[in-house]
Amino acid sequence: MLKDYLKSEYNLRGIKDASSSNYDSIILEKKYGRIINICEWIDNLCIDCDLDGGIDYIVIDINGEIIPLIEENDLFDKMEELIFDEHDCKDDNKTSCDLTPDSQIKYILEKIDRRKQKIKIDFYQLKSGNSFQERVLEKIKTTITDLIVNERYDSVRYSKKLIYNIKFIKELVKKVSVNDGAVEINFFYLANCDNKPKSMESHDELANDIKNDMIKGFKHNHVTVQLLYGKNLVKFLEESKKTDLKIKISNSDMLYKNNLFCIGLVRLKDLVSFVTLNDEINLSLFDGNVRDSYKNSSSINKEIIDTLEKKIEINDFWWLNNGITIICKNMYKKMNTLFINEPQIVNGLQSVVAIYDTFKNGNKLNANKKIMVKILVENDINNIDTIIKTTNTQNPVDDYLLSSTKPIHREIEKSFLSFGDGYYYDRRKNYYKNLKKDKNKIFDIKYTFKTYGSIFLGIPSQVRTATKKNFKLYCDQVFDSNVNVLSYLYSNLLDRKIQKTLKKTKVDDEFKNNYGVSIVTYSLHLSYIYTSLMKGSIDFTDKYINRNDVVNAENLKYEDEILINSINVLESVIKKHPTENKVYLARSTKFEEEIKEMIEEKIKGN
């Protein structure tokens, strides 16, 4: 599970080398990517050197802001900027630029008002190897004893960077440790392995010793030490994405009800701040959105941009716009700010992107104009689906897009990303196209519905056109949580490969001469025939598909004997209908049954 998860992350980012540095970047990006740009910040968090004492990274979070680690000769202006405001700095005759590292620690701590601080310290040992190492845990335990418990700051066994930062953290904890809720300290040892190590009991014992030493050294009880691997590590990383985002809404423009819902008017500049992450639009906010492109390709987007590029003379922008709907896990209000947990914009994607792009291009004429926003707390998946469906039916939306919010589509997406160099399942239409991924490796929901239905439901004629009626009829069977997810990639690759392979040969020309249509007209039928012959039965299911089958589909060539036999079976049935229109024949359920009979004859004959 973990291997596939990390592989999907590497493939999504185009990383071919699964090196330790890439592993570290993935882990830290998952944990802190919503707060900082890891590519720019990773050196500010890193201890990793020969004298690191088994601690690779330390992340210091003060009131939701991450500060850089202290360097030996660092003037750490970033730390100063993040911890206190410009007024404090200007009033001080002696700036931090004049101070030694030890004096810098004192200077920073003097500026901190313990009553207002909430701090979290995360220590990391990241191993890209596939196991925990007991000697590493023993090394960490020694480091904790030396530096945190006994304060051996003169030791030559540790780098000055590690010593300075441990000293700073100890003083910081002491300064703000008013109650257990104000300070949180965590040590994470993350191993790139799926299975529980044989010596896990001894590892757990060492971890408990490390925890007790940290409690003793920090004189604080809110300490955790976690050894994470496999599915627990995946859960840890995925839960890191869950966070509160805040949006400002004037109380005079707000209808708010008991942390259940809010309807209000949001200034356009505050909406842009809400959807911005690391100077880019935060695409994860649109996971639940079923509309097509997030780029300004549609006439609707262009109209919104045209409106925003000139001064709006009418009363306000919200008079001209349907607004935005946001679903979240929970929310709460402080003054005129809403704190929203796990927000998902389920309607209004085009408006949000048009507003964002207008601002990004420097046009802020209407920054203080407002847009209507509905924020709803909802955790029931059925209710969420209903909200998404109803809020997206003011303009026509295909049923297959509305189904994309089901959890199975996320599983398919992850599976595609983790296979080989990565494939892309477009559960959000045009998402991967806009990320400029290889179009030949992108498969959408409708195509997946057709290929899976053809092969594993045995109904290529019926799903060939993926009509609304057929989609509603078979959707639950195709996109079932019990389906072997490899079968989706297999069916897509096989059908696409059959089409591409046969178009490049004389087979297609001969087929056109004989029957008046391209053989691609019957590619779904060929996919079903091929799989039946490969498995030696028409009673196979998705559970029969394994990774080798997917690889074979990926590398299919015209010379493949099963493909040649599949074409022969197809033509044998077509020849029974010399006068029938071959396009109509491809849609015939009777034709499907005749194909199954011919396959069985072929298998028995062999």
Side-chain angles (χ1 to χ4, degrees), residues 15 54 67 95 108 145 206 259 265 312 314 338 380 544 588:
I15 297 172
I67 63 173
T95 69
I108 290 290
T145 302
L206 272 169
N259 296 349
L265 299 177
I312 297 174
I314 199 168
L338 278 183
D380 185 285
Y544 284 58
S588 166

Side-chain angles (χ1 to χ4, degrees), residues 256-451:
Y256 186 79
K257 175 75 172 179
N258 299 334
N259 296 349
L260 294 176
F261 70 81
C262 176
I263 302 173
L265 299 177
V266 176
R267 290 185 302 179
L268 298 186
K269 65 180 181 181
D270 292 328
L271 177 69
V272 170
S273 296
F274 176 71
V275 301
T276 299
L277 172 65
N278 296 330
D279 297 324
E280 296 291 340
I281 194 163
N282 184 359
L283 294 178
S284 67
L285 290 172
F286 307 112
D287 271 4
N289 202 290
V290 300
R291 298 234 168 248
D292 48 12
S293 173
Y294 73 85
K295 290 294 182 184
N296 295 313
S297 56
S298 76
S299 59
I300 296 173
N301 292 60
K302 289 174 182 175
E303 287 175 14
I304 296 171
I305 289 174
D306 289 343
T307 301
L308 290 168
E309 285 182 341
K310 51 184 179 289
K311 188 69 176 177
I312 297 174
E313 299 298 338
I314 199 168
N315 200 345
D316 215 328
F317 179 70
W318 69 271
W319 286 36
L320 311 172
N321 188 274
N322 289 333
I324 296 162
T325 303
I326 299 172
I327 293 177
C328 62
K329 295 291 185 185
N330 51 66
M331 66 178 171
Y332 62 95
K333 183 168 78 79
K334 286 186 178 180
M335 303 296 287
N336 68 336
T337 301
L338 278 183
F339 293 82
I340 311 170
N341 182 248
E342 295 188 56
Q344 286 290 291
I345 297 173
V346 299
N347 185 258
L349 169 63
Q350 291 175 322
S351 296
V352 170
V353 175
I355 294 165
Y356 174 86
D357 281 352
T358 303
F359 274 55
K360 191 172 183 180
N361 292 334
N363 191 327
K364 300 180 182 179
L365 276 173
N366 299 293
N368 289 313
K369 293 293 183 181
K370 296 172 182 175
I371 187 169
M372 177 77 76
V373 176
K374 290 189 298 183
I375 305 167
L376 312 172
V377 173
E378 185 55 73
N379 294 293
D380 185 285
I381 188 64
N382 294 321
N383 291 342
I384 290 172
D385 286 344
T386 300
I387 292 168
I388 292 172
K389 185 170 183 177
T390 53
T391 56
N392 282 280
T393 50
Q394 296 94 339
N395 297 309
V397 179
D398 286 343
D399 286 347
Y400 75 90
L401 283 175
L402 289 172
S403 82
S404 67
T405 59
K406 294 181 178 178
I408 180 62
H409 294 288
R410 290 179 183 274
E411 294 305 313
I412 299 171
E413 183 179 25
K414 290 177 185 176
S415 175
F416 278 33
L417 281 168
S418 69
F419 196 91
D421 292 331
Y423 289 92
Y424 310 102
Y425 181 66
D426 230 17
R427 63 184 179 88
R428 293 166 287 177
K429 188 178 177 183
N430 292 336
Y431 177 76
Y432 289 108
K433 176 185 175 183
N434 291 322
L435 290 179
K436 303 191 185 310
K437 297 300 182 181
D438 183 354
K439 65 179 182 180
N440 295 310
K441 302 182 83 174
I442 298 173
F443 303 98
D444 64 23
I445 292 175
K446 184 181 285 187
Y447 186 65
T448 303
F449 171 80
K450 293 197 292 186
T451 60

Side-chain angles (χ1 to χ4, degrees), residues 514-565:
N514 293 333
Y515 309 112
V517 295
S518 169
I519 196 170
V520 171
T521 306
Y522 292 92
S523 67
L524 292 171
H525 299 82
L526 283 171
S527 295
Y528 172 69
I529 298 167
Y530 182 95
T531 308
S532 299
L533 295 179
M534 178 181 71
K535 296 301 179 184
S537 170
I538 63 169
D539 295 322
F540 65 90
T541 70
D542 58 276
K543 302 300 187 292
Y544 284 58
I545 300 301
N546 55 46
R547 297 186 76 86
N548 286 335
D549 294 329
V550 182
V551 171
N552 290 337
E554 193 177 31
N555 299 314
L556 184 70
K557 291 182 172 52
Y558 170 65
E559 295 78 16
D560 187 295
E561 184 179 353
I562 299 176
L563 179 58
I564 294 170
N565 289 335

